Structure formats: C-alpha cells, structure tokens
Amino acid sequence: QQHRVELVPLPGKLNISLTPVEQAVVRIDGKRVGTAPGTIEEVEAGTRLVEISAKRYLPYTATLEIRGKRLE
C-alpha cells in the first residue's frame, strides 16, 4: 500500500510594537486576531496579509511570511 501524507507546519508568533499610538487592532487575512502592542500567538504558518489600524491613522498593511515555531 502507498499513502500520501502532507505535513502541516506548526503555527508561529507575531510580535508587534507601535509608535506613536498606544493601541491598535490587528487583523490577519482579514480576521481580527487581537491588539498591538503585544504578541499574536498561534498564527498559521505561511504567507499572511497583516493589517494594523488605529483611530485617526491610516492602516498599515504588509504581506509577511510566518514561520512555524520550533519545539523546545
């Protein structure tokens, strides 16, 4: 018998710091996932569209490559 197996990488983390605002909303692939500054845990590995927005500021958008975290 032959079986085809596709392994999925572990999720990663995204650490975000901000200036000059104190807090902003973070969306990944269009889904609200938390606020910044801080760390967004359990981000699916791969290419992700990240948007950070705060009142009275233009949103920041970037395409980032998230790598799965290592087991320790």
Side-chain angles (χ1 to χ4, degrees):
Q1 285 186 342
Q2 195 173 20
H3 298 278
R4 181 163 181 86
V5 177
E6 184 176 335
L7 299 178
V8 177
L10 291 170
K13 295 180 185 179
L14 180 59
N15 296 311
I16 303 169
S17 58
L18 299 172
T19 57
V21 298
E22 293 182 18
Q23 189 172 39
V25 172
V26 179
R27 289 182 175 79
I28 298 178
D29 296 335
K31 180 181 174 186
R32 184 180 173 147
V33 294
T35 58
T39 301
I40 307 299
E41 303 279 349
E42 302 297 316
V43 179
E44 186 179 347
T47 304
R48 301 283 158 246
L49 180 63
V50 177
E51 180 180 326
I52 301 170
S53 58
K55 290 181 182 179
R56 301 181 51 102
Y57 289 88
L58 294 172
Y60 171 84
T61 303
T63 301
L64 302 177
E65 187 66 28
I66 304 295
R67 293 186 178 177
K69 57 188 168 191
R70 297 184 310 205
L71 291 176
E72 297 183 23

